Amino acid sequence: MFAEKPTLKGERVTLRPVGPEHVDGLAELVSDPDVRRLTGSHAGFEADQLRLWYATRGDQPDRLDLAIMADDEYVGEIVLNELDPPNLACNLRIGLIGQRVFGKGYGSEAIELLLDHAFGTTPLHRIRLGVYAFNDRARHVYEKLGFVEEGVERDALLWDGEWHDAVLMAILRPEWRARSRSLA
């Protein structure tokens, strides 16, 4: 379903298939303390791991990994993964590089571009995501883009000695279609 790796252009960002040329940006993203907390990432990564990871994403027909570029600068990544073909469903994951790019609309536009691509060119019916309950900014963005809260995983993340819930959200093709028509 994701064998084709498109380039998607918006007003503020362009989404490009990830590759080795984006590894420095990925290294910055995964080492940023704020990003690690927001994504619940406890593990650290070595440069060689990251290089191999981005070098092999283009060969994966069951996922779509795209670099979020603003003015030709890597500002994050957005991914469709955990593809469930029989149920026409997958997961969405997004990470921005840190405080210097937060609040500029890059994430919102990247998600819109990816939803338009996924629902407009594939048979997908459902795209889900998880977000930690303390990440109010991301939850607001997801809701604004049409994601609906479906449930809560209680105490899903232990961070600095405190437990945090994960909020499960999803958008369905008919919801995306209705929202797209209302914006036209």
Side-chain angles (χ1 to χ4, degrees), residues 70-110:
D71 298 322
D72 290 325
E73 179 187 359
Y74 178 101
V75 295
E77 70 170 9
I78 189 165
V79 178
L80 292 177
N81 63 356
E82 300 176 14
L83 182 63
D84 179 0
N87 294 307
L88 300 175
C90 71
N91 182 69
L92 183 146
R93 185 183 81 219
I94 185 170
L96 296 177
I97 209 161
Q99 290 293 335
R100 68 184 172 87
V101 302
F102 291 170
K104 296 185 177 188
Y106 299 152
S108 296
E109 186 174 73

Side-chain angles (χ1 to χ4, degrees), residues 129-143:
L129 57 81
V131 58
Y132 293 109
F134 59 76
N135 194 345
D136 293 328
R137 179 177 36 219
R139 289 174 62 189
H140 172 74
V141 168
Y142 301 145
E143 288 170 1

Side-chain angles (χ1 to χ4, degrees), residues 5 18-19 52-61 63-65:
K5 310 299 184 189
V18 298
L52 178 61
W53 181 253
Y54 265 10
T56 59
R57 297 307 85 201
D59 302 330
Q60 311 298 316
R63 59 183 293 137
L64 181 58
D65 296 71

Side-chain angles (χ1 to χ4, degrees), residues 113-128:
L113 287 169
L114 194 59
L115 291 177
D116 289 349
H117 171 74
F119 287 130
T121 66
T122 77
L124 282 173
H125 176 72
R126 181 175 194 278
I127 298 176
R128 71 182 176 284

